[in-house]
Amino acid sequence: HQLVSAAEDKPTLKLICNSYDPAWMNVELNTHAVARARLQARLLTDTLTLQYHNGKFYKENPICKLCQSEEETRLHMLVRCQALSEIRLKMLQPVFERMQEAGWWPPSDDEDLLRLILGVHHSSDDRRIYILATNACFAITHQLYNILHKLP
């Protein structure tokens, strides 16, 4: 709420905070929190540049560089990419455990799992699930970029 409060006298920041709720509603005023919220907002709006976007706009190969199995979209990166399955399972395990404790059903399909990871799933009303899920989102994306930086 600190960022939203600070945005009151800054029209552009106010617009961003109001546009990307819930990504910006829970941001503290520190560099790490703002970077995470920025990433989440870019994922929510599908504006994070992935291979799919490079293929669409720059005629590059849209296939995921990590697993080579399908176009690298946000659904592929966060839910389907086999190269990221280990970090995904590790980070989502506490989410599923908390969902079970709270009486929520696990995601029903890939799109439902994507909504959970992005923090817009109906169970995200539970603050702990929201935090765990968005932590998973950040960790998966961070792992993707770490691996990509090591590729030739």
Side-chain angles (χ1 to χ4, degrees), residues 130-145:
Y130 174 82
I131 290 168
L132 291 168
T134 54
N135 284 347
C137 178
F138 187 75
I140 294 164
T141 307
H142 187 72
Q143 182 72 14
L144 168 73
Y145 285 113

Side-chain angles (χ1 to χ4, degrees), residues 79-119:
V79 176
R80 296 179 179 160
C81 183
Q82 289 303 308
L84 299 171
S85 63
E86 187 176 322
I87 188 74
R88 183 182 313 108
L89 291 173
K90 175 183 173 188
M91 295 303 295
L92 288 176
Q93 187 60 40
V95 177
F96 296 142
E97 288 170 5
R98 176 63 189 138
M99 287 180 80
Q100 186 175 14
E101 290 169 11
W104 293 100
W105 290 100
S108 57
D109 57 26
D110 287 353
E111 291 287 340
D112 202 31
L113 180 55
L114 178 64
R115 284 189 292 278
L116 174 67
I117 294 170
L118 292 175

Side-chain angles (χ1 to χ4, degrees), residues 40-54:
Q40 186 183 4
R42 291 184 71 199
L43 284 165
L44 284 167
T45 58
D46 202 17
T47 57
L48 182 70
T49 303
L50 300 169
Q51 282 305 112
Y52 166 78
H53 299 99
N54 289 336

Side-chain angles (χ1 to χ4, degrees), residues 8-9 68 96 101 128:
E8 286 303 315
D9 62 335
Q68 304 291 318
F96 296 142
E101 290 169 11
R128 187 74 183 136

